[in-house]
Amino acid sequence: MIICCGEALIDMVPGNDKEGNPVYRPIPGGSPYNTAIAIGRLGAPVAFLGRLSRDFFGELLINRLTQNNVATSFIRRGEQHSTLAFVQLEPGKEPQYAFYTEGSADTSLLPEDLPQSLPSDVRCIQFGSISMLLTPISSTIEGFIKRSITQNPTLVISFDPNVRPMLIQNREAYVSSVESWCRMSRIVKISDADLSYLYPTIDREGAIDRILALGPTLVVVTLGKEGARAKLRRADGTFISCQAPVVEVPVADTIGAGDTFHGAFLAWLEQKGKMSSSALSSLSQGELSEALSFANLAASLVCTRHGAEPPTMEELRAFKARHGLNN
């Protein structure tokens, strides 16, 4: 099982009503939340860990999880309101967000909300995004990761910083924190834009090597229209790397594309029996390329839809067939 932990919020996505008037649609979201939905829709066992409001937005969030095969036994409920994220979309640009997080339920996750131990079938914990910028949730998740690694050193920890500069008050302190979270992780999934923010004076390959030097086994970089690139440290100390393209599609928007990629990549590892520290460091170049291609396929499909709507396995098969990708 994979556990995704962190924020669960409501994306207020812009659109128009039937008369053409501008409106905002409330869509369940949040990076780790979307990643959990992506994993669940692809049929891999997954649970979400976090704190959700008892308000009607909280009900919307938890219902979407249960409808998409995501276990909710690690969720605690609170009386605080749900976090809102208003989205601004512009053609050819990354979505921009305005977050309303003050005193919200998901950011109020405390150590007493956590399970004392994890079931034996948990093989991966995924974390990151804005939850690591807010209190008290950030320290709660960091403590949870450290304790879980101590209890089970074979766990695969997968981290996605999902950088949101508008929430970062001290860039140097944030970079230091990101590097400490990378040291806790086996997998670091990161966008090219995030790499540029963290290491503006280092080229892409240099930045990948810098993260690998912190201790992760694998760094995966999403490159937008260029696809994705990965570099892996194998058990014998050698490195392999590969790059895989996206499928060219008409883009509705890119909301949830990175989260879908991350979820699909983790689902591939889980379903192929590769979700362990030893199996990860023993991946062949062909296997790594296959995992990247699978994740790119899922991310490409979600870009044809409005909002974070990850595909099911059946939808991926149909998508492959339409684009002549069955071989």
Side-chain angles (χ1 to χ4, degrees), residues 41 69 74 77 107 195 266 305 316:
R41 287 190 176 180
N69 309 309
F74 299 121
R77 306 299 294 272
T107 66
L195 272 186
L266 296 179
R305 301 168 169 178
L316 271 189

Coordinates of all heavy atoms in Angstrom, one line a residue, residues 41 69 74 77 107 195 266 305 316:
R41 N -7.3 5.4 -8.9 CA -7.9 5.1 -10.2 C -7.2 4.1 -11.1 O -7.8 3.4 -11.9 CB -8.1 6.4 -11.0 CG -9.2 7.3 -10.4 CD -9.5 8.5 -11.3 NE -10.6 9.3 -10.7 CZ -11.1 10.4 -11.3 NH1 -10.6 10.8 -12.5 NH2 -12.1 11.1 -10.8
N69 N -11.4 4.6 -4.8 CA -10.6 3.5 -4.2 C -9.5 3.9 -3.3 O -8.5 3.2 -3.2 CB -10.0 2.6 -5.3 CG -11.1 2.2 -6.4 OD1 -12.1 1.7 -6.0 ND2 -10.8 2.4 -7.6
F74 N -6.9 6.6 7.7 CA -5.9 7.4 8.4 C -6.3 8.9 8.4 O -5.5 9.8 8.6 CB -4.6 7.3 7.6 CG -4.0 5.9 7.6 CD1 -3.8 5.2 6.4 CD2 -3.7 5.3 8.8 CE1 -3.3 4.0 6.4 CE2 -3.2 4.0 8.8 CZ -3.0 3.3 7.6
R77 N -11.0 14.0 11.4 CA -11.9 15.1 11.0 C -11.8 16.3 12.0 O -11.6 16.0 13.2 CB -13.4 14.6 10.9 CG -13.6 13.5 10.0 CD -13.2 13.7 8.5 NE -14.1 14.8 7.9 CZ -15.2 14.5 7.3 NH1 -15.7 13.2 7.3 NH2 -15.9 15.5 6.7
T107 N -4.3 22.0 7.4 CA -3.1 22.5 7.9 C -2.9 22.3 9.4 O -1.8 22.6 10.0 CB -2.9 24.0 7.6 OG1 -3.9 24.7 8.3 CG2 -3.1 24.3 6.1
L195 N 13.2 22.9 -10.0 CA 14.7 22.8 -10.0 C 15.3 24.2 -10.2 O 16.3 24.6 -9.6 CB 15.2 21.9 -11.1 CG 15.3 20.4 -10.8 CD1 16.0 19.7 -12.0 CD2 16.2 20.1 -9.6
L266 N 4.3 5.9 -9.1 CA 4.3 5.1 -7.9 C 3.4 3.9 -8.1 O 3.7 2.8 -7.7 CB 3.8 5.9 -6.7 CG 4.7 7.1 -6.3 CD1 4.1 7.8 -5.1 CD2 6.1 6.6 -6.0
R305 N -8.1 17.3 -20.1 CA -9.3 17.5 -19.3 C -9.2 18.8 -18.4 O -8.1 19.2 -18.1 CB -9.5 16.3 -18.3 CG -9.7 15.0 -19.1 CD -9.6 13.8 -18.1 NE -10.0 12.6 -18.8 CZ -10.0 11.4 -18.2 NH1 -9.7 11.2 -16.9 NH2 -10.4 10.3 -18.9
L316 N -6.6 4.7 -19.9 CA -5.2 4.7 -20.4 C -5.1 3.8 -21.6 O -4.4 4.1 -22.6 CB -4.2 4.4 -19.3 CG -3.7 5.5 -18.4 CD1 -2.5 5.0 -17.6 CD2 -3.2 6.7 -19.3

